Amino acid sequence: MRSLPPVSFPPSLLDTPRHQGLRAALVRHLSGRGLAAEGRVLAAIGAVPRHLFFPADFPEQAYLDKAFPIGDGQTISQPYTVAYQTALLAVQPGHRVLEIGTGSGYQGAVLLTLGADLYTVELLPALAARAAALFARLGLHPRTTCADGSCGWPDPAAAPFDRILVTAAAPHVPPALLRQLAVGGVLVVPVGPSGGVQRMLRVVRESMDRFRREEFDEFRFVPLRGAGGNRDNGTPD
Ligand code: SAH
């Protein structure tokens, strides 16, 4: 395991008492939506300035429990969804974590705040570049790349990962991700038709060839594209 410095966001950023108050209210809201037992996850949500991951300064929208467009037809996930997936993932400090779908970088920042050694993949170049620049500005240093994450991290030497999180709707569990999961590792992925609802799955790798699959609530995500996802803009393969 890499030993990682604790995450602290530079105080000079535009994180005003107003933003902080809105963020505290969001944390209270999530706590009331059944996540009260997830103290570490809620603390991370309370620490990450979500408004900085928005394409412009929309302080009110940034702390509503809603998804929001970030460009290129993609969205920053709803805070409840981020908290839910993060809770299922059960990240411990030093875990090697692979995220598929960097998007705005917000979910990645939450994982980094929990001490993840993060690798994050984004398919769309403009989003990948913007998130990489924002991570640097925030003093965060995940490995980022622009690639088809449905095939896993491009350099297989970086595998296996203790945790893998997919933040887009997969038509099935991508086999390449199962191959990159450590024994004892956990994969969280929403599976179902794109454009419809998906079931949140947690897959635990119990041994080299045994995987235990659990089902959780339903969500709506943007489609996972690429070879292990939806090959075109939405039709499951
Ligand atoms: N985690 C993001 C959520 C972004 S939405 C956040 O916190 O903002 C899902 C993202 O997955 C989109 O940015 C989309 O472009 C990306 N995506 C879709 N298919 C992908 C693939 N095969 N590989 C990598 N990223 C993909």
Side-chain angles (χ1 to χ4, degrees), residues 28 65 76 96 105 140 166 174 178:
R28 286 194 296 277
D65 192 13
I76 177 172
R96 293 164 67 85
L140 302 175
V166 182
L178 294 177

Side-chain angles (χ1 to χ4, degrees), residues 10-20 23 49-52 57 59 63 137-138:
S12 60
L13 288 169
L14 291 172
D15 191 28
T16 65
R18 174 148 179 264
H19 294 109
Q20 289 156 15
R23 196 153 68 241
R50 188 169 186 262
H51 61 283
L52 299 178
D57 190 21
Y63 294 105
R137 186 173 148 232
L138 294 173

Side-chain angles (χ1 to χ4, degrees), residues 110-156:
V110 170
L111 296 170
L112 288 159
T113 302
L114 287 167
D117 179 8
L118 182 68
Y119 293 67
T120 181
V121 190
E122 171 56 51
L123 184 67
L124 300 177
L127 293 181
R130 194 166 71 197
L134 184 55
F135 283 133
R137 186 173 148 232
L138 294 173
L140 302 175
H141 302 287
R143 272 82 157 190
T144 60
T145 193
C146 184
D148 176 6
S150 72
C151 300
W153 187 258
D155 177 4

